[in-house]
Amino acid sequence: MNDFDELPADFDELAWRLGVRSITVQREEIIADGGASPDAPLTQAAAIAVLANPWAGTDTQADLAPAAEQVAPVLAKVLTDRLLDSLGPASAIEAFGKGAVVGVDGELEHAGALIHTPYFGNIMREMLEGTSVLCFADGRSGPSASIRVPMWHKTHATSRDHYQTIDLRLTDAPKADELCVIAAASTGPRPFARIGDRRTDGAVTTEILKGLTK
């Protein structure tokens, strides 16, 4: 940021200045499951940013906060914008999740620094009109990484009908000194969800295990 004299024209330019080299959007429509078609297709999408690891070359005592506060809100903005472009207005989105993958030269904490603070989650949640804590996946990998990102209801995290995942392949990322940050969302529950919820569960304890073996 210090190398530029003028403010960026938009958040995409700002993301580029902060080290983002690519943004990919994956969108999937599930129109049938189990040989039947639900009343409405379930549409899922994920937006993936690949960026230079701002802490590359630092040690495990480095303060992660300054870069996280600078980079994470911008990532949340540009990725959530892509979700809204892909899935429609926030009112059409019912479930969300997030993820991060760090290259092999980085720490797992570098991935966490960009998605596990309010600087990412609060921005994404506000833009999608949610109230739930965002569920997540994170890890370390080399290029062509795969990650399964979980999602749940944006205002009722314990709604089992909305527990779902989206599978992503990150093609040429992350390189050893890079990070991938992911925002994911969907328009509804799983097709034909029917396993009940906490509101319909009976009391279940270890008592149900008694008598099942000698």
Side-chain angles (χ1 to χ4, degrees):
M1 291 293 290
N2 294 333
D3 296 332
F4 298 92
D5 295 328
E6 297 182 358
L7 288 174
D10 53 33
F11 280 96
D12 283 356
E13 181 181 343
L14 179 54
W16 169 71
R17 291 187 186 186
L18 293 172
V20 173
R21 72 170 172 90
S22 70
I23 298 177
T24 302
V25 178
Q26 176 177 310
R27 184 176 187 272
E28 181 177 3
E29 292 185 28
I30 301 170
I31 60 175
D33 193 53
S37 179
D39 293 336
L42 171 66
T43 305
Q44 300 178 325
I48 308 155
V50 180
L51 67 150
N53 185 339
W55 304 287
T58 63
D59 62 29
T60 57
Q61 302 305 308
D63 184 1
L64 307 184
E69 292 174 14
Q70 182 183 44
V71 176
V74 178
L75 293 177
K77 166 66 174 167
V78 297
L79 294 179
T80 307
D81 278 343
R82 264 66 173 187
L83 293 180
L84 291 167
D85 288 344
S86 182
L87 297 176
S91 59
I93 293 172
E94 295 186 13
F96 56 22
K98 60 185 178 181
V101 181
V102 65
V104 294
D105 286 350
E107 296 177 56
L108 286 174
E109 192 70 357
H110 297 164
L114 289 182
I115 65 170
H116 293 327
T117 71
Y119 296 102
F120 187 88
N122 283 16
I123 303 300
M124 182 178 174
R125 186 164 37 247
E126 179 181 339
M127 291 180 66
L128 296 183
E129 300 176 358
T131 56
S132 297
V133 171
L134 284 141
C135 54
F136 71 92
D138 57 21
R140 179 190 287 113
S141 184
S144 299
S146 295
I147 186 170
R148 177 170 291 167
V149 179
M151 293 176 273
W152 58 30
H153 199 288
K154 69 180 186 180
T155 59
H156 298 87
T158 59
S159 170
R160 285 192 204 124
D161 289 356
H162 287 76
Y163 292 170
Q164 58 195 272
T165 59
I166 185 168
D167 291 311
L168 307 171
R169 186 171 179 271
L170 307 179
T171 60
D172 65 341
K175 297 176 183 177
D177 60 351
E178 289 184 327
L179 282 153
C180 299
V181 174
I182 302 155
S186 82
T187 59
R190 298 185 312 279
F192 310 113
R194 57 189 187 278
I195 59 172
D197 214 323
R198 291 188 178 185
R199 295 164 296 180
T200 59
D201 291 342
V204 179
T205 71
T206 54
E207 288 293 317
I208 66 172
L209 302 174
K210 293 182 177 179
L212 296 181
T213 61
K214 291 183 179 179

